[in-house]
Amino acid sequence: QVDLVQSGGGSVEIGESLTLSCRFSMHTNFFSGHSMAWFRQVPGKDREGIAAIDSDGKTAYVNAVKGRFTISQDFVENIVYLQMNNLKPEDTAMYYCAAVGPAGPVMDWVLTQNGRDYRYWGQGTQVTVSS
């Protein structure tokens, strides 16, 4: 069993920044060879992949957030972060972290698959960007 506990989020204005955190309770060895990721969902729409990072530190981003969002991991504290800069109204959504997905170059494709490749999920945190 892997527990994911999210924190961060909130309401900001256009151009501001937020950092989301996802603390995970799994041994580093269990994460080896896998990835963690961030997804988001707006009511009435499919879940959208945003960014992923694998145990080697390789990352993948969807075009909508490239250059603005950064995913990173801290294996000492067992936290995965999503730093979000230059936020836009279209970034408004419920954000979820996910764990134990595929690693490596396939992460780009995995992010397009609505999260079906990830086994464990955080509780979600709302991000609202106002104009």
Side-chain angles (χ1 to χ4, degrees):
Q1 178 65 32
V2 175
D3 292 323
L4 305 176
V5 179
Q6 297 179 220
S7 59
S11 297
V12 296
E13 297 185 351
I14 291 178
E16 294 185 338
S17 300
L18 279 174
T19 301
L20 304 183
S21 301
C22 177
R23 184 178 295 275
F24 55 92
S25 65
M26 62 178 163
H27 196 278
T28 302
N29 289 340
F30 184 67
F31 181 47
S32 180
H34 295 92
S35 67
M36 294 186 68
W38 288 94
F39 288 77
R40 65 188 180 188
Q41 190 167 23
V42 176
K45 293 189 175 181
D46 289 337
R47 189 163 46 196
E48 175 190 24
I50 305 170
I53 186 167
D54 68 16
S55 54
D56 290 331
K58 297 183 180 64
T59 59
Y61 298 91
V62 295
N63 288 336
V65 305
K66 277 182 181 177
R68 300 189 298 122
F69 290 14
T70 303
I71 188 171
S72 61
Q73 57 195 9
D74 182 340
F75 282 128
V76 174
E77 299 292 334
N78 279 7
I79 298 176
V80 172
Y81 298 99
L82 183 68
Q83 173 67 41
M84 305 183 292
N85 297 327
N86 190 21
L87 283 161
K88 304 175 180 181
E90 52 263 42
D91 296 316
T92 295
M94 185 70 78
Y95 284 69
Y96 299 89
C97 65
V100 196
V106 73
M107 290 189 297
D108 289 303
W109 177 84
V110 167
L111 288 176
T112 69
Q113 300 303 302
N114 298 328
R116 66 182 185 183
D117 297 282
Y118 287 86
R119 294 168 57 185
Y120 303 100
W121 292 85
Q123 79 277 19
T125 184
Q126 178 69 35
V127 172
T128 303
V129 184
S130 58
S131 57

